[in-house]
Amino acid sequence: MAEFNKDSLGNVLFIAIAVCLVCSIVVSTAAVVLRPMQKENQELDQKQNILRAAGLLPVGATVDADGRTVDELFAEFEVRAVDLDTGEYVDIDVAEYDPVKAAKIPSESRDLSNNEDIATIGRRENVSLVYLRKEDGKLDKVVIPVRGYGLWGTLLGYLALDGDVETISGLGFYFHKETPGLGGEVDNPNWKALWPGVALYDDSGEPAVRLVKVRSPEGSSASRYEVDALSGATLTTRGVENLVRFWTGDLGFGPYLNNLRTTG
Ligand SMILES: Cc1cc2nc3c(=O)[nH]c(=O)nc-3n(C[C@H](O)[C@H](O)[C@H](O)COP(=O)(O)O)c2cc1C
């Protein structure tokens, strides 16, 4: 009887192919099984970012002071899609819509000219999302997604406004590539604490937020729009100022926020 040769070319190839097959089945099964969990975690993360920007969830906490969970707190928000050109609501499946992805699709976004593109985003989606919270039937918070270029890359975050739709309630970024200790100080809770109460628009209704090295005298009209610049990070600072102005201006959520202010 012929002896079995485990080192034969055929056997080596068979074992190698079998191992590859088993490994690929394990990896693809894990990818498919874990996908819903990944999506759930991503959604939870975004909810936390929105709640933190709105000042409803302390930094690093997963429940508020009354022990309410992220899902409970977020359930108080209504999510709507908005046509950024008209400022009107549009009817789409908001759970499946990603404004950042839409900005990469030519038919769902518009190109921005150099003059228009102060946030250096290249293209702007036609439709974006807003997160609205009411208290006793009155608008309490409006949260909008914002993004813009800093020094090393695009910062992505949320800007929250008070119910008057002209006072900032908070700003937070969930993704950026700025240097820790310099531009990365956008995540510093002490700097973030400077944003609530800052006025968005000047008397002529133009976005007026300014990040400054030297503050105007307290009580002056200019001081209402001012936030401290990040020290040693002029380029990130300029990026943040520009992105806030862009997304609250005419090419961002300006028309929508205007509608909300005037018609409620
Ligand atoms: C390694 C390194 C990392 C830097 N990271 C940042 C940054 O994240 N954001 C920023 O605005 N400037 C950063 N800078 C500094 C800029 O190059 C530039 O000098 C600075 O924005 C000027 O700010 P200032 O006028 O406040 O000093 C970095 C510089 C170095 C050398």
Side-chain angles (χ1 to χ4, degrees), residues 151-152 178-179 182-184 213 230-237:
L151 171 62
W152 302 115
E178 306 308 286
T179 313
L182 294 170
K213 288 186 178 170
L230 297 160
S231 66
T234 299
L235 298 171
T236 308
T237 297

Side-chain angles (χ1 to χ4, degrees), residues 193-214:
L194 301 173
W195 285 85
V198 170
L200 261 188
Y201 301 104
D202 61 18
D203 294 339
S204 60
E206 290 302 313
V209 171
R210 287 199 326 138
L211 274 71
V212 293
K213 288 186 178 170
V214 181

